[in-house]
Amino acid sequence: MSNRPEWLQPSRSIYSKQYGIIQVSAIIGDNLYFRKGIISQTIFNWEEEIKKGNLSQIQHTPTSKSLIYQEIATEIEGRNKLSYCDVIPEQAANLEQIPDSMHSAVNNVLKQLGINQLYSHQIEAWEAYNQGNHIILETPTSSGKSISFLLPVIHECFKGNSCIIFFNLKALAFDQEEKIREFVNLLPESIRPAILNINGDTPSQERKKLYTHKPSIICVTPDVWHHELNNYQFDNYNFVETLRKVSIIVIDELHFYSGIFGANFALLNRRTQLIIEQAGGNLSQLKYIYASATINNSQQIAQKISSRRENFTVISQSGARKAQTTFISLKPQNSVLYTTAQIAALLVSKDVVGICFCDSRETVKSLTQTIRKILVENGLPHLKNTISAFYANLKNNQRRKIIADIKSGDVKFIVSTSALEAGLDLGCIDAVLVCKYPGSILSFRQRAGRAGRKEEGLIVFIPSRQSILDSYYSNHPERLLTDPPEVINFNPNFENLLQAHILACCKESRPTINQIAKHFGQGGVAIANQLLEDKKLVYSFNNKLACARHLGYIHGDIKIRGSRSNNIDYINTSTGEEFEQSAVNSALREVYPDAIYIAQDFDGNPVWYRSLELKIKEGQAFLKPTSQTNLFTRPQGAIRFEEVKTTGEEKLIQLPRGVIKLTPKICNISESIFGYKLYNRESRWTCPNRDCRNHNQSLASKLENCSICNSQLTERDIIQLVEELPYKEALTTSYSTSCLEVEIDLQATNLFKSKVEQIRSIIKNQKYISREERELFEYKETDICIHSLAHQLMLALPLVEHGASSKDVDFILHEEPSQPNLVGYFFDTVEGGTGMCDTLFQYLEKAISKARFLVENCPCKHGCSNCTVIYRCPDDNTAISKQVGLSILQDLIQQQVQTF
């Protein structure tokens, strides 16, 4: 080996043109072996590679961001934390000539902006517009979706029409308005449309003055537009004329419109269409353009929002250039927060501009401080002020300053909540840290899409050891970029929501009953007739429906994003920060006064709190941090169900023996908590013999056998009731919501019993029976089966629908002595519904498949909070078995689901 260079030695870092910076593992003969994370690789004939210049000393590494990223990967590898490293090649732009059919003034503006050609997907959108189609743009972040919808919008304005562009966040509306204004201001003044930013910062009376008889581009959020439509009744000529001319409605960030937000937005669009019709507009010519991240059911959601069924063009192939991206995945970490802070500090020290997303303001602030502390410890105190926290509650001037500072280079790293996940223009970001799996493939790609918009990008996935999904994607990181995304879903036909929006439209535009039928369907007609009977609607002239005056300002009763009264913020009394949020009924069972509540910190470790006060009307619960304790509490309460009506066709699942029937319903639910029990859990070595005096007594483990009956000692959790504490006055909440009734016939019940008996027979032969296994003998077989299955399906729903949470839905077994079949109910956890029961019903097969995936991949033995246990369970997680649930899921996955 005399001809081997001194720099080419095992454990040394070298530069490879093909692989970047690598660390040599061994050199055997002509072969050089190295590792990238957990993958071993080989370079054949290393001498020849050196002669060709493909291998060299690290000092001779060409300077580029991509090689800095390789250096970072090598440093992470040196800390034994690297699991995977891959370089995703650059995707060249697919450009086409600007069509002759485009207005010459627009062509001139594009050239002034340095755009001499358009991406292929922008051309495709233009052609779809000219064909009169609705358009769904599903190209990646920073692919030029804004230009794609702006070109048709401006051409409609040239025709004398107006357009509405919906942005889901006010900050996004401001950002996009600036980009639109930059484009429009380059047009000749004589044909330049007005740009109206309709936002809640401008008083209502001043907003009325913004409208003009000129063609206009209205930039607005759904929240503000909901109230803005009330102006129609006041004969504001310019407002009415603007609405009459609306020919395109653009909906940006379509993937955010799920759950109650999506349902309200769909109904808001029906009201908008009705008003356009009332103003004399031509609804047959009204077109919709949607910009969205890739979701599994974009056309279905677009149809729900627009009430259109045909002529949709879905554009998902991007022609935009995508810079080369380095994708790094770490091994699962115990301390995600500290590891994330270390990597962020490393990026900043190498002049890499980055961003990291977190789930709460509390975590954002904690991570920001930790990064600054590490920079000081590393001798870089001058960089600590280049780290900035970003979250929704910042004032507008603060938000704008941070965004300006990162664009100018004064800020090098942003720690943000999801407030920056939407399409704000941050093209200067090089690197994205994704700490922990963010709950959905869609969210991961939205966050990762921030990396390297202009130059080479870096994505770093930092998984937590506490999560099944983190561990799974740590072992299969490439699937984060290839797995299909989740669906989004909502139910716009829930009666309470329909009623509120029908009242609003009758206040705004006084429609006829035929117009109600056209825009809200026969369900809307039935609701309108009931409102007439209840004197909430009255007939005015020409058989038009008007809202009764005594109802006042009914628009205030509709919370577009869901009512705050349906949510409780969990506030840490030591910091004053909100660290969690929950629906009222979940909060009733979790943070009732004096409850001991266990949350998780950023790294997934348990943190204990004591609930000091629950204010339901104010939407707040105050919890004081406390030390780890063996004490725990359980609420004492009751849930009452009252079925209101069946809302759809039932589904039948044919089992090997018997049938499960699922029926969508609306139910009134009343839930009360009238006290709690305080328990102590203590782990003891004890005698397992129930007939022995030493049974459950604390004995020394060194004895090995009981001194009385000679049984082998076992370690068991002994739970003892400390005290039972009633409240002077019960805490109660009542609401109407969507439910899914689950009915299991006698044959299926017998099948379930046989499954439990099979598992029981195996357990009986064991020498030691755990507490979890003993529960299989303490509860009815059918209760164990249905309860375990229900929990596993609820925990899988976030894998089915983007933005879903297992807190959005609950399940309860319903005892009915006269009913031969077993019955349970899934139910949405807020007034008006979250859409989760509808998602479970619509995507049942997918939910079953995802539930099996979760349970099979969870390393726990008997069930944990990742796969089977839900701590807020109304039945206190009794009659639960991971193994039984999995056995049923394996049966269900092979069965045909039939709709009747």
Side-chain angles (χ1 to χ4, degrees):
M1 296 293 173
S2 57
N3 58 343
R4 184 198 300 174
E6 185 275 332
W7 51 266
L8 191 64
Q9 302 294 335
S11 300
R12 292 275 184 91
S13 293
I14 63 171
Y15 168 66
S16 161
K17 274 190 179 178
Q18 182 177 1
Y19 300 103
I21 297 173
I22 60 175
Q23 193 170 50
V24 179
S25 298
I27 296 174
I28 303 174
D30 292 335
N31 296 339
L32 183 153
Y33 300 91
F34 69 97
R35 289 172 65 85
K36 273 283 188 181
I38 58 174
I39 303 171
S40 295
Q41 300 190 60
T42 307
I43 292 175
F44 301 102
N45 199 339
W46 55 265
E47 286 189 86
E48 187 66 23
E49 291 296 300
I50 291 175
K51 288 177 183 177
K52 291 179 179 178
N54 293 334
L55 286 178
S56 62
Q57 300 180 59
I58 198 165
Q59 293 93 320
H60 299 155
T61 302
T63 57
S64 79
K65 280 211 164 72
S66 183
L67 291 167
I68 293 173
Y69 304 152
Q70 293 292 328
E71 188 179 335
I72 288 168
T74 303
E75 288 195 39
I76 295 171
E77 169 76 3
R79 300 173 188 175
N80 196 31
K81 291 183 177 180
L82 187 67
S83 170
Y84 175 88
C85 181
D86 188 26
V87 177
I88 303 163
E90 176 185 348
Q91 175 184 298
N94 183 0
L95 294 164
E96 298 183 22
Q97 294 301 314
I98 297 172
D100 293 336
S101 56
M102 207 164 285
H103 196 288
S104 58
V106 172
N107 201 337
N108 290 335
V109 171
L110 289 171
K111 289 179 179 177
Q112 287 181 69
L113 293 172
I115 302 172
N116 297 306
Q117 292 178 296
L118 292 175
Y119 297 131
S120 57
H121 65 272
Q122 293 171 334
I123 295 292
E124 195 176 347
W126 174 253
E127 290 172 349
Y129 160 67
N130 284 322
Q131 291 163 9
N133 289 350
H134 307 292
I135 302 167
I136 302 172
L137 289 155
E138 285 191 320
T139 55
T141 305
S142 75
S143 59
K145 286 197 283 278
S146 297
I147 289 289
S148 300
F149 65 68
L150 187 56
L151 294 176
V153 161
I154 289 175
H155 279 79
E156 282 302 301
C157 292
F158 289 166
K159 296 175 184 177
N161 296 323
S162 293
C163 303
I164 303 171
I165 305 179
F166 282 108
F167 299 104
N168 70 303
L169 295 171
K170 183 169 67 174
L172 182 58
F174 277 114
D175 182 76
Q176 290 293 324
E177 180 213 351
E178 289 179 6
K179 292 167 70 175
I180 294 169
R181 197 175 293 280
E182 178 188 5
F183 191 107
V184 168
N185 284 347
L186 294 174
L187 291 168
E189 190 172 352
S190 59
I191 59 171
R192 188 183 302 164
I195 300 172
L196 313 179
N197 188 341
I198 310 299
N199 65 81
D201 294 341
T202 307
S204 177
Q205 291 303 316
E206 290 184 30
R207 288 204 303 268
K208 291 179 184 178
K209 298 174 184 177
L210 295 176
Y211 296 98
T212 171
H213 63 278
K214 287 180 58 178
S216 302
I217 300 171
I218 303 170
C219 300
V220 69
T221 62
D223 318 71
V224 173
W225 191 246
H226 160 63
H227 295 281
E228 198 71 2
L229 289 182
N230 194 46
N231 284 332
Y232 184 82
Q233 65 177 308
F234 299 117
D235 294 327
N236 182 330
Y237 172 77
N238 284 336
F239 180 65
V240 173
E241 186 67 7
T242 301
L243 286 173
R244 185 182 68 79
K245 294 178 178 178
V246 169
S247 62
I248 286 184
I249 293 178
V250 177
I251 292 150
D252 197 23
E253 307 286 353
L254 172 66
H255 52 279
F256 279 99
Y257 292 97
S258 62
I260 194 74
F261 185 32
N264 276 318
F265 184 62
L267 291 168
L268 176 63
N269 266 276
R270 295 186 198 182
R271 286 163 47 201
T272 302
Q273 289 177 8
L274 195 155
I275 281 190
I276 291 171
E277 182 179 65
Q278 290 280 61
N282 186 351
L283 283 185
S284 66
Q285 299 299 312
L286 178 64
K287 299 302 176 189
Y288 280 81
I289 302 177
Y290 302 87
S292 177
T294 304
I295 53 178
N296 241 344
N297 60 337
S298 59
Q299 185 163 330
Q300 179 193 46
I301 295 301
Q303 289 169 338
K304 277 188 177 184
I305 289 174
S306 63
S307 300
R308 305 292 198 266
R309 292 289 173 266
E310 297 176 344
N311 301 325
F312 281 87
T313 297
V314 181
I315 301 170
S316 54
Q317 288 297 113
S318 173
R321 172 185 176 270
K322 179 65 178 172
Q324 177 182 292
T325 304
T326 301
F327 179 29
I328 294 172
S329 176
L330 275 65
K331 298 174 183 176
Q333 300 294 300
N334 284 324
S335 178
V336 180
L337 186 142
Y338 191 73
T339 300
T340 302
Q342 283 182 311
I343 295 173
L346 182 61
L347 292 174
V348 172
S349 71
K350 295 182 181 293
D351 201 32
V352 175
V353 179
I355 189 169
C356 178
F357 293 96
C358 300
D359 295 329
S360 70
R361 291 197 307 271
E362 194 172 38
T363 305
V364 164
K365 292 178 180 180
S366 178
L367 182 56
T368 302
Q369 290 302 109
T370 306
I371 298 170
R372 289 171 176 166
K373 182 181 176 183
I374 290 173
L375 286 169
V376 172
E377 291 172 351
N378 291 348
L380 302 168
H382 61 288
L383 292 176
K384 71 175 186 178
N385 291 329
T386 66
I387 315 300
S388 183
F390 191 97
Y391 44 87
N393 282 13
L394 291 174
K395 293 179 180 178
N396 281 337
N397 61 338
Q398 292 175 298
R399 294 162 65 95
R400 291 188 176 192
K401 184 178 185 307
I402 293 170
I403 292 170
D405 285 348
I406 197 163
K407 289 179 178 179
S408 68
D410 291 338
V411 167
K412 295 293 185 185
F413 198 90
I414 290 183
V415 185
S416 175
T417 60
S418 58
L420 275 179
E421 195 173 315
L424 291 176
D425 184 14
L426 289 176
C428 52
I429 296 290
D430 299 316
V432 172
L433 304 190
V434 184
C435 49
K436 302 192 297 186
Y437 180 66
S440 71
I441 291 293
L442 195 156
S443 283
F444 180 89
R445 290 185 193 156
Q446 277 293 98
R447 295 177 180 191
R450 287 285 186 190
R453 291 193 180 188
K454 294 180 180 176
E455 300 182 29
E456 296 101 322
L458 172 67
I459 304 165
V460 183
F461 175 48
I462 308 165
S464 167
R465 200 181 294 276
Q466 312 292 332
S467 163
I468 307 170
L469 292 172
D470 282 48
S471 297
Y472 174 79
Y473 283 116
S474 175
N475 291 327
H476 308 281
E478 72 287 351
R479 299 199 65 166
L480 287 165
L481 304 176
T482 59
D483 274 357
E486 298 75 18
V487 301
I488 65 171
N489 192 37
F490 54 79
N491 178 14
N493 296 316
F494 186 76
E495 286 188 1
N496 286 17
L497 293 181
L498 265 175
Q499 176 177 300
H501 283 273
I502 286 172
L503 282 170
C505 82
C506 291
K507 176 87 168 179
E508 296 155 356
S509 57
R510 300 194 175 191
T512 64
I513 199 73
N514 287 336
Q515 287 176 314
I516 293 288
K518 177 179 178 180
H519 293 281
F520 297 95
Q522 289 306 308
V525 172
I527 288 171
N529 286 328
Q530 184 62 52
L531 290 170
L532 282 165
E533 190 176 320
D534 295 340
K535 309 293 190 222
K536 292 182 178 180
L537 288 182
V538 295
Y539 278 111
S540 63
F541 63 97
N542 293 334
N543 287 323
K544 293 186 175 183
L545 296 173
C547 188
R549 290 184 179 181
H550 72 271
L551 294 179
Y553 186 61
I554 51 88
H555 286 63
D557 297 333
I558 300 174
K559 310 298 180 185
I560 294 294
R561 296 171 196 266
S563 172
R564 180 176 173 79
S565 63
N566 288 329
N567 293 308
I568 304 291
D569 295 332
Y570 293 7
I571 298 169
N572 183 331
T573 57
S574 294
T575 64
E577 292 285 345
E578 172 199 331
F579 63 93
E580 280 186 27
Q581 189 181 81
S582 187
V584 170
N585 70 318
S586 294
L588 272 180
R589 290 183 241 127
E590 291 179 339
V591 292
Y592 46 87
D594 290 327
I596 296 172
Y597 179 67
I598 303 177
Q600 287 187 340
D601 66 12
F602 187 76
D603 294 318
N605 301 310
V607 181
W608 280 261
Y609 292 88
R610 191 83 186 224
S611 177
L612 301 180
E613 190 175 13
L614 172 60
K615 293 183 174 182
I616 294 176
K617 288 183 180 179
E618 292 81 0
Q620 294 176 319
F622 296 91
L623 293 97
K624 180 181 179 181
T626 186
S627 56
Q628 181 175 346
T629 177
N630 290 330
L631 295 172
F632 65 94
T633 55
R634 288 289 180 261
Q636 299 296 292
I639 297 180
R640 291 184 296 279
F641 272 78
E642 178 191 354
E643 288 188 13
V644 176
K645 64 184 296 184
T646 298
T647 58
E649 298 175 327
E650 63 191 31
K651 282 186 177 180
L652 299 183
I653 305 175
Q654 299 286 346
L655 295 171
R657 298 202 308 270
V659 171
I660 298 176
K661 182 171 73 173
L662 296 98
T663 310
K665 295 178 180 281
I666 291 176
C667 291
N668 291 328
I669 297 175
S670 178
E671 185 165 0
S672 298
I673 302 295
F674 42 74
Y676 67 95
K677 291 182 180 180
L678 179 67
Y679 295 91
N680 183 65
R681 180 187 286 112
E682 183 182 343
S683 182
R684 297 177 182 173
W685 283 93
T686 189
C687 177
N689 183 357
R690 294 176 181 268
D691 299 323
C692 178
R693 279 184 297 150
N694 278 340
H695 177 62
N696 282 354
Q697 299 301 308
S698 183
L699 305 173
S701 59
K702 63 183 179 181
L703 294 177
E704 294 188 4
N705 293 86
C706 176
S707 58
I708 297 176
C709 69
N710 205 39
S711 296
Q712 184 177 358
L713 301 187
T714 61
E715 188 176 22
R716 297 173 63 178
D717 279 348
I718 308 300
I719 296 175
Q720 294 178 315
L721 178 65
V722 177
E723 59 180 326
E724 187 171 348
L725 296 162
Y727 294 138
K728 290 182 180 179
E729 188 175 335
L731 300 170
T732 302
T733 183
S734 300
Y735 56 98
S736 176
T737 194
S738 296
C739 297
L740 189 58
E741 182 188 73
V742 182
E743 185 177 347
I744 301 169
D745 71 7
L746 288 175
Q747 279 188 299
T749 298
N750 291 330
L751 174 67
F752 286 174
K753 286 180 178 178
S754 67
K755 288 182 174 295
V756 176
E757 285 301 333
Q758 289 172 9
I759 296 172
R760 282 175 176 170
S761 64
I762 296 170
I763 293 172
K764 286 176 182 176
N765 296 323
Q766 295 176 184
K767 191 172 184 180
Y768 169 69
I769 301 176
S770 68
R771 174 175 59 84
E772 293 84 358
E773 290 169 325
R774 288 200 305 276
E775 285 198 2
L776 280 174
F777 298 86
E778 296 171 2
Y779 297 96
K780 290 192 296 187
E781 297 92 337
T782 48
D783 288 5
I784 294 168
C785 290
I786 189 65
H787 204 190
S788 304
L789 176 62
H791 275 214
Q792 290 167 347
L793 286 172
M794 287 191 292
L795 287 165
L797 279 174
L799 303 184
V800 177
E801 180 179 336
H802 169 63
S805 165
S806 61
K807 283 192 172 187
D808 293 337
V809 64
D810 252 326
F811 178 84
I812 191 168
L813 286 166
H814 186 64
E815 296 291 339
E816 185 62 63
S818 61
Q819 169 64 264
N821 295 340
L822 181 66
V823 175
Y825 289 93
F826 290 99
F827 58 99
D828 289 356
T829 56
V830 300
E831 173 74 39
T834 59
M836 285 300 95
C837 282
D838 189 59
T839 295
L840 180 57
F841 188 69
Q842 280 196 47
Y843 298 97
L844 183 61
E845 296 92 336
K846 190 168 185 177
I848 291 168
S849 173
K850 293 295 185 181
R852 188 177 75 164
F853 164 81
L854 264 186
V855 180
E856 285 182 336
N857 282 279
C858 188
C860 74
K861 187 174 182 181
H862 299 295
C864 65
S865 59
N866 281 317
C867 69
T868 308
V869 173
I870 298 177
Y871 289 121
R872 68 182 189 285
C873 168
D875 297 306
D876 200 21
N877 286 297
T878 54
I880 291 286
S881 167
K882 174 184 177 180
Q883 195 174 358
V884 169
L886 179 58
S887 175
I888 300 169
L889 286 168
Q890 289 168 336
D891 270 355
L892 291 178
I893 207 112
Q894 302 170 21
Q895 303 308 312
Q896 185 78 25
V897 178
Q898 302 174 23
T899 302
F900 292 89

